[in-house]
Amino acid sequence: PTDTLARDALAVLQPGFTGTAAPAWLLRRLDEGLASVGLFGRNIDSPGQLATLTARLREVRPDVLVAIDEEGGDVTRLEARTGSSFPGNLALGRVDDTELTRTVANELGSRLAAAGVNLNWAPAADVNSNPGNPVIGVRSFGGDPALVARHTVAYVDGMQSAGVAACVKHFPGHGDTAVDSHHAMPRVDADLETLHSRELVPFRAAVAAGAKGVMSAHILLPALDPTRPGTLSPGVLTGLLRAPESEGGLGHQGLIITDGMEMRAISATYGLERGTVLAITAGADAICVGGGLAGEDTVLRLRDALVRAVRDGGLREERLADAAARVRALADWGRAARSAPAPPVRQPGVGLEAARRALRVVGDGAYEPPTEPVFVAAFTPMANIAVGDETPWGLGAELERMLPGTKTATYDDPGDPSGADDAGGAEDSGGAGELARGVLQAADGRRIVAVVRDAHRHAWMSAALDRLVAARPDTVVVEMGVPQAAPRGALHIATHGAARVCARAAAEAIAGEP
């Protein structure tokens, strides 16, 4: 069907696809009314290839919204294979210089715009009030609502002044969850007063600053809606986010985009089609899908589900038309931004500068930089789905460049975090003790650099670290996640993120480079 209803149903979808060139089905659907396309790491080989791909999309539909999940830091699609040239939010929040955040976002936005991308599903405006959070962590600017708010605003301003629409996420706030919504439905039991004084502060500021988009979270907040997650809740999307400030809402006039609909919090609970219809009914304008389900069949399934819902009376035709109109309005903004002359301010080195400024280095004063190759032991937790396991992290490559001959080994959860004694003696059959002994043996006398990510969340990691430092007090410890655990080691470096530039900055500190 290519009637108005089907065109509107296609217009509200933001699907993904596989491959580094536009498939024929995607070009055909763009011609039929599809208004947005979502890009992931699998679609990107190089800036040149990406520019060719987006130009091909625009041959069919000049105002197409090309969206991407490019937070910088740990979550990068532009540099998925190498690691990001920009530190993530926690590092920027640690420096707490809003002009730096604005410049970083502007430089990142300029790179996206140059490659033909004009909608970024970023920044995360979540207040990381629960340090044990398995999915936000370093993606948040921090745990203080006012700090998160000012940096969210700076990021939105920097990104949008480069001609790329920002989409603040995950509304109304994913920071206080202990569950990852990729896997199941998280629940935040904060009361209304707490939500208004904590979670909602950055979103309110971002909306007031003119953020073009807000992304909903698949989380249950009983204080706002006891039965439906944010993405499917009219109370959350229409009653809170869209409602005017005079009625206690945030007054957001831009696009409301859902988080990925194939995430299990929605797909395993409501199903993809029903979830999509409920989201549009609740007030969402754009359906993000395609991280996992990236074929034409998904687009047709969802298009038909929306058309059917209107015909059956389950979805008001005016609501679908309103959603489609909002998508097209942002597409018009994007097209106008692309034809405007690009602002000349470019600071390609700002990412490394920010990463260096974000380092927190704690030492005992007697630290001597190594002059010989070192041994890097990377303690690797399971990859966060948002980050993906294709993006490299750690210090090996950077230290190898500065101290040739440096070797790296990776260590996973041994399955038994107990470890019986503190130094890892012969009678210690615990996994942590065994792991530490393995590191000492592999290091073969060389200085050890232990690299961890969120040591406070992984008992095995913490226990192995304790044994290592006890056996070799000259061990350097580098925390590339949230630095919640107490510093330990002859030198303890917190990078506030695992981007490539964070690794470079940490390696410089270890090698004693000024």
Side-chain angles (χ1 to χ4, degrees), residues 62-278:
D63 65 345
V64 65
L65 278 171
V66 181
I68 199 167
D69 196 4
E70 180 60 54
E71 297 175 14
D74 291 30
V75 179
T76 177
R77 308 296 175 231
L78 217 46
E79 300 181 275
R81 289 164 178 74
T82 57
S84 182
S85 306
F86 302 93
N89 287 1
L90 190 64
L92 295 170
R94 154 79 182 165
V95 179
D96 196 13
D97 173 350
T98 51
E99 193 45 45
L100 178 69
T101 297
R102 207 197 82 80
T103 306
V104 164
N106 187 257
E107 179 60 31
L108 183 53
S110 299
R111 293 188 191 188
L112 290 173
V117 177
N118 58 356
L119 170 58
N120 191 4
W121 295 319
D126 307 291
V127 178
N128 205 42
S129 51
N130 176 357
N133 190 317
V135 66
I136 302 301
V138 297
R139 300 167 66 199
S140 164
F141 289 111
D144 170 30
L147 176 137
V148 176
R150 63 180 172 265
H151 287 279
T152 298
V153 166
Y155 191 109
V156 166
D157 182 40
M159 184 62 57
Q160 293 187 170
S161 61
V164 178
C167 176
V168 290
K169 60 189 182 185
H170 308 80
F171 184 82
H174 209 315
D176 192 26
T177 59
V179 172
D180 181 346
S181 49
H182 290 91
H183 301 300
M185 179 85 73
R187 177 184 169 114
V188 175
D189 282 309
D191 58 31
L192 215 48
E193 195 182 333
T194 303
L195 290 175
H196 276 283
S197 64
R198 189 178 66 187
E199 271 76 5
L200 295 175
V201 172
F203 291 100
R204 205 176 278 284
V207 166
K212 296 288 174 190
V214 174
M215 180 176 279
S216 66
H218 307 327
I219 56 180
L220 195 64
L221 298 103
L224 296 171
D225 188 326
T227 56
R228 288 207 174 146
T231 294
L232 310 183
S233 167
V236 171
L237 299 188
T238 305
L240 181 61
L241 180 52
R242 192 69 88 195
E245 290 182 74
S246 58
E247 293 169 25
L250 274 65
H252 175 58
Q253 292 306 304
L255 207 61
I256 298 178
I257 305 173
T258 70
D259 205 345
M261 293 299 280
E262 63 268 62
M263 289 163 64
R264 292 189 61 76
I266 299 293
S267 61
T269 319
Y270 294 88
L272 200 61
E273 285 99 333
R274 181 162 175 250
T276 295
V277 171
L278 288 173

Side-chain angles (χ1 to χ4, degrees), residues 252-472:
H252 175 58
Q253 292 306 304
L255 207 61
I256 298 178
I257 305 173
T258 70
D259 205 345
M261 293 299 280
E262 63 268 62
M263 289 163 64
R264 292 189 61 76
I266 299 293
S267 61
T269 319
Y270 294 88
L272 200 61
E273 285 99 333
R274 181 162 175 250
T276 295
V277 171
L278 288 173
I280 297 291
T281 306
D285 306 305
I287 300 292
C288 175
V289 66
L293 299 168
E296 181 179 25
D297 57 326
T298 302
V299 172
L300 299 181
R301 268 171 69 192
L302 297 186
R303 178 198 68 183
D304 294 348
L306 288 164
V307 169
R308 207 163 43 242
V310 170
R311 290 190 174 143
D312 295 348
L315 171 63
R316 284 175 30 253
E317 190 167 355
E318 307 82 71
R319 171 75 276 269
L320 181 61
D322 169 59
R326 287 182 192 275
V327 173
R328 294 182 192 119
L330 185 58
D332 286 343
W333 177 88
R335 189 178 187 175
R338 282 185 63 72
S339 58
V345 282
R346 291 298 298 266
Q347 297 197 35
V350 72
L352 181 57
E353 179 208 327
R356 285 171 176 154
R357 287 176 64 186
L359 286 189
R360 185 188 75 194
V361 183
V362 179
D364 55 14
Y367 175 74
E368 289 286 334
T371 50
E372 304 285 317
V374 296
F375 180 74
V376 180
F379 293 174
T380 309
M382 211 169 84
N384 173 334
I385 289 186
V387 173
D389 53 14
E390 62 183 341
T391 303
W393 74 285
L395 289 189
E398 293 295 339
L399 276 173
E400 161 69 27
R401 210 164 44 80
M402 295 175 191
L403 299 164
T406 289
K407 295 277 182 282
T408 301
T410 301
Y411 300 87
D412 299 323
D413 182 353
D416 172 16
S418 62
D421 69 18
D422 55 354
E427 71 280 23
D428 175 5
S429 61
E434 211 166 300
L435 196 153
R437 277 197 300 280
V439 173
L440 291 166
Q441 199 174 348
D444 197 22
R446 278 177 294 177
R447 174 82 68 88
I448 296 168
V449 177
V451 187
V452 296
R453 218 165 171 173
D454 290 349
H456 68 287
R457 291 203 302 115
H458 304 284
W460 66 272
M461 208 181 274
S462 222
L465 215 46
D466 285 339
R467 282 161 180 69
L468 210 50
V469 171
R472 286 282 301 273

